[in-house]
Amino acid sequence: MTVARIDARFAALKAEGRPGLVVFVTAGDPDLETSFEVIRALPAAGADVIEIGMPFTDPMADGPAIQAAGLRALANGQTLAKTLGLVRRFRETDQATPLVLMGYYNPIYSYGVPRFLTDAKAAGIDGLIVVDLPTEEDPELCLPALEQDIAFIRLATPTTDDKRLPTVLRHTSGFVYYVSINGITGSAAPDCNAVAAAVARLKRHTELPVAVGFGIRTPEQAAEIGGNADAAVVGSAVVSMIGEAAAEGLTGKPLADRISAFVATLAAGVRGAKRSAA
C-alpha cells in the first residue's frame, strides 16, 4: 500500500517526539534534470515528506513564486507524464520518503483519471492534494484514488467551520493540510497562536496528523509551527530560492546544493521545536 509510506513516516515522527518537515517544489522547475537533482537531495537535507507540484497554467490558489515556477517548468516542456517519470527515477534509489502530488484537477482530467491513478501508483506516488476538487466531487478522483491505496489529502482553512469540517474530513487520508492563512501561497506569515488553536480544533475531529503550511519562510517560523502541529510545510520560500538561483544561471547539482543547505536550516528549526501539541 502506498498510503503506508505516509503512515509509517508520521508514526516514526511521533515515536521520535518531533514534528516533520514537508517541502514543496514544482516538478520541472527550472528544468527537468535540475528538478530531479533538487528532489533527490531533499531527504538527506531533512525533508520528511515531499510535495511535488504539477505545473498548471491557471494556479488560482498559488502566489507569485509558485506561479512563476509553474510557468518556468511549462516553458521547458514539463508535462504530467514527465512528472510521473521524475517520480519513477526518484524511487529507483528511495523507497522510504513519502511523495505527494499537489495541484489542480485539470491536468489529471486531461490525462485521464483511471490512467493517471494507475501510472501514479506504479511510479510510487503516495498521496494527492487537489486544491480545486471539493468534497462534493469525491467520486471524480478522491474515491477512485482511495481504491488504489493512494491517500487523498484535504485542505482545511481558517474558514472551515465545525459544521463543514466533518464533511471535509470524511474521506481524507494520510494527513490533513491546514492552510494557516486566508489567501494565496506565500502571501503572509502565519499567526502561531491562531494556528495552535486551529490544530487543537482539528484534532478534536480527526486522529490524522495535521501539517500546517502557507507563509512559513524561516527556520524560526517552522519551529514555532512545529511546536503545535505534526509537520510544517514550506513551499514558496524554497520555490523562490530555486527561481533566484536559476536567474543567476545555476542549474543541476549546484542549484540543488543551495536548496539543500536552506532546507537543512528549516529541518534544524523543526527538530528544535518545543512541542505543545498532543
Side-chain angles (χ1 to χ4, degrees), residues 74-126:
L74 291 170
N76 278 314
Q78 189 67 16
T79 64
L80 187 49
K82 289 181 179 179
T83 298
L84 294 176
L86 186 156
V87 171
R88 285 193 295 272
R89 286 183 67 192
F90 178 90
R91 286 288 179 227
E92 290 174 4
T93 57
D94 188 322
Q95 286 290 324
T97 303
L99 298 180
V100 175
L101 286 180
M102 185 172 185
Y104 300 84
Y105 183 48
N106 185 278
I108 296 171
Y109 177 80
S110 298
Y111 193 96
V113 170
R115 174 180 168 229
F116 167 75
L117 291 174
T118 298
D119 291 354
K121 184 175 181 179
I125 286 297
D126 302 294

Side-chain angles (χ1 to χ4, degrees), residues 72 78 128 174 223 249 262:
R72 285 192 298 269
Q78 189 67 16
L128 302 173
F262 175 56

Side-chain angles (χ1 to χ4, degrees), residues 9 21-23 42-50 97 263 267 271:
R9 181 53 50 93
L21 175 65
V22 181
V23 176
L42 288 176
D48 297 296
V49 179
I50 301 172
T97 303
V263 170
R271 283 161 172 72

Side-chain angles (χ1 to χ4, degrees), residues 80-268:
L80 187 49
K82 289 181 179 179
T83 298
L84 294 176
L86 186 156
V87 171
R88 285 193 295 272
R89 286 183 67 192
F90 178 90
R91 286 288 179 227
E92 290 174 4
T93 57
D94 188 322
Q95 286 290 324
T97 303
L99 298 180
V100 175
L101 286 180
M102 185 172 185
Y104 300 84
Y105 183 48
N106 185 278
I108 296 171
Y109 177 80
S110 298
Y111 193 96
V113 170
R115 174 180 168 229
F116 167 75
L117 291 174
T118 298
D119 291 354
K121 184 175 181 179
I125 286 297
D126 302 294
L128 302 173
I129 302 173
V130 183
V131 301
D132 57 347
L133 269 185
T135 57
E136 288 76 14
E137 304 297 334
D138 278 356
E140 287 283 329
L141 181 62
C142 173
L143 298 183
L146 294 177
E147 290 174 1
Q148 293 277 3
D149 293 323
I150 296 174
F152 205 86
I153 298 152
R154 289 283 186 200
L155 303 181
T157 74
T159 60
T160 308
D161 60 24
D162 285 339
K163 183 178 179 181
R164 176 69 174 168
L165 195 52
T167 302
V168 170
L169 295 173
R170 183 173 55 204
H171 295 131
T172 299
S173 58
F175 60 91
V176 180
Y177 188 135
Y178 180 69
V179 177
S180 61
I181 58 173
N182 288 318
I184 55 176
T185 56
S187 59
D191 179 332
C192 290
N193 290 329
V195 167
V199 171
R201 182 171 71 93
L202 284 169
K203 286 185 171 292
R204 290 195 291 269
H205 289 267
T206 182
E207 295 182 356
L208 289 170
V210 178
V212 176
F214 279 48
I216 302 171
R217 306 189 69 86
T218 67
E220 293 75 19
Q221 288 174 331
E224 285 186 309
I225 293 298
N228 293 295
D230 297 297
V233 186
V234 183
S236 292
V238 174
V239 170
S240 293
M241 186 169 288
I242 291 172
E244 292 164 4
E248 294 173 20
L250 287 184
T251 58
K253 191 174 184 300
L255 186 150
D257 288 344
R258 180 181 294 188
I259 302 307
S260 294
F262 175 56
V263 170
T265 68
L266 297 170

